[in-house]
Amino acid sequence: MASPLKPMLSTLLLLAIAFPNCLAKSKPSLSGKQAIHHAIGRLAHDIEIPKRNKPKFQPSPWKEAHATFYEGGSGTFGGACNYKDVAGQGYGMNTAALSSVLFKNGQACGACFEIKCADNPQWCKLGQPSLIVTATDHCPPNPSLPNDNGGWCNVPREHFDVAKPVFSQLAEYEAGIIPIQYRRVPCQKQGGIRFTILGNPWFYQVIVWNVGGAGDVVGVQVKGDDKLKWTQMERDWGTTWKTSAILLGESLSFRVSASDDRDSTSWHVTPKNWQFGQTYEGKNFK
């Protein structure tokens, strides 16, 4: 359907040309420019600009990298992203620690990747389909070792250190390190975004998890139902965001921004008498 904005703007332009002469003869109380501004303001107030729905997160092109494996448990695979229990939080054991290039100082936490063993018939398991893993940890660099012999996560390498159960589905353990192909994919989650509130009355932390769509979070805002206006939180580390604004005694709303420039606003997620250590569920990305 054609936009009504162009005809309206044309009309305003004609008014702008015609008004000065008319106003000069009638000597109104307002100047020509003021009258034009008033007319434009009234008309613009009545114009409802339609919202544009941003497209859903789409898979990225395939790229090449390498993968190794590490051992641990459900309570340790959350690591640098501060997931307390990856299995209990819905991520399962399909998790990965990313090299610094991919981890991006914690911004990649929660992002989902499709990976598959590639170009290594000796170790790749035949007929094994690709797997989806979630970024839940950081694989730190090891400058004391060369990039191609032990320093797998050194800059500028793109590397996945995956949970051992995941590696075993891709290749034989004896391989140690395998070439893979990977791409970003949308995260499929059950239920809404979760907000776990920690801290004390003077300092607040919110762990944001179970994020669908792009999966990663680049910004979080919080708002109360009384005194607290929309307030930008700062990333503390991983999926944990912080603020010193007073949140106690207010029903809290959260706005989560993902890396694909989409926002999800969860209104009145908590009651006024919310408690530290509790988790509250909001609206997820569709």
Side-chain angles (χ1 to χ4, degrees), residues 117 120-121 123-129 167-173:
C117 188
N120 195 331
W123 299 115
C124 292
K125 291 193 173 180
L126 297 178
Q128 172 59 45
F167 192 92
S168 66
Q169 297 178 62
L170 297 172
E172 301 295 338
Y173 289 137

Side-chain angles (χ1 to χ4, degrees), residues 152-203:
W152 310 125
C153 292
N154 291 350
V155 177
R157 291 182 64 95
E158 297 184 354
H159 190 87
F160 291 74
D161 198 21
V162 301
K164 189 174 182 179
V166 176
F167 192 92
S168 66
Q169 297 178 62
L170 297 172
E172 301 295 338
Y173 289 137
E174 291 79 6
I177 181 172
I178 56 171
I180 63 168
Q181 291 182 328
Y182 78 93
R183 64 175 180 170
R184 283 281 302 275
V185 293
C187 296
Q188 306 296 330
K189 299 299 178 185
Q190 297 294 322
I193 297 175
R194 307 303 206 277
F195 302 91
T196 301
I197 306 177
L198 305 173
N200 57 58
W202 302 275
F203 179 75

Side-chain angles (χ1 to χ4, degrees), residues 41 74 100 185 199 271 277:
S74 177
S100 297
V185 293

Side-chain angles (χ1 to χ4, degrees), residues 12-53:
L12 290 173
L13 183 59
L14 290 173
L15 288 171
I17 297 172
F19 261 46
N21 293 331
C22 296
L23 292 170
K25 295 177 181 179
S26 58
K27 296 182 179 181
S29 58
L30 293 176
S31 69
K33 288 185 179 181
Q34 287 176 314
I36 292 170
H37 289 164
H38 277 260
I40 293 175
R42 287 194 300 271
L43 186 56
H45 179 75
D46 295 332
I47 298 174
E48 184 177 347
I49 300 176
K51 293 182 179 180
R52 293 184 177 181
N53 292 324

Side-chain angles (χ1 to χ4, degrees), residues 199-217:
N200 57 58
W202 302 275
F203 179 75
Y204 301 82
Q205 292 176 310
V206 179
I207 303 176
V208 182
W209 53 282
N210 199 56
V211 181
D216 54 356
V217 176

Side-chain angles (χ1 to χ4, degrees), residues 24-179:
K25 295 177 181 179
S26 58
K27 296 182 179 181
S29 58
L30 293 176
S31 69
K33 288 185 179 181
Q34 287 176 314
I36 292 170
H37 289 164
H38 277 260
I40 293 175
R42 287 194 300 271
L43 186 56
H45 179 75
D46 295 332
I47 298 174
E48 184 177 347
I49 300 176
K51 293 182 179 180
R52 293 184 177 181
N53 292 324
K54 294 182 179 178
K56 295 181 179 179
F57 185 81
Q58 298 297 318
S60 67
W62 288 97
K63 299 180 68 176
E64 295 182 349
H66 286 82
T68 50
F69 68 87
Y70 67 106
E71 301 190 46
S74 177
T76 60
F77 288 159
C81 289
N82 201 24
Y83 294 117
K84 302 302 182 183
D85 181 349
V86 293
Q89 291 177 288
Y91 296 101
M93 303 303 283
N94 281 23
T95 61
L98 307 184
S99 61
S100 297
V101 171
L102 295 173
F103 190 67
K104 300 178 181 178
N105 292 320
Q107 181 181 315
C109 290
C112 296
F113 296 85
E114 184 177 8
I115 63 174
K116 57 185 178 181
C117 188
D119 302 324
N120 195 331
Q122 179 183 0
W123 299 115
C124 292
K125 291 193 173 180
L126 297 178
Q128 172 59 45
S130 59
L131 298 174
I132 306 297
V133 297
T134 303
T136 61
D137 204 352
H138 177 219
C139 180
N142 187 350
S144 64
L145 295 175
N147 291 8
D148 59 353
N149 187 17
W152 310 125
C153 292
N154 291 350
V155 177
R157 291 182 64 95
E158 297 184 354
H159 190 87
F160 291 74
D161 198 21
V162 301
K164 189 174 182 179
V166 176
F167 192 92
S168 66
Q169 297 178 62
L170 297 172
E172 301 295 338
Y173 289 137
E174 291 79 6
I177 181 172
I178 56 171

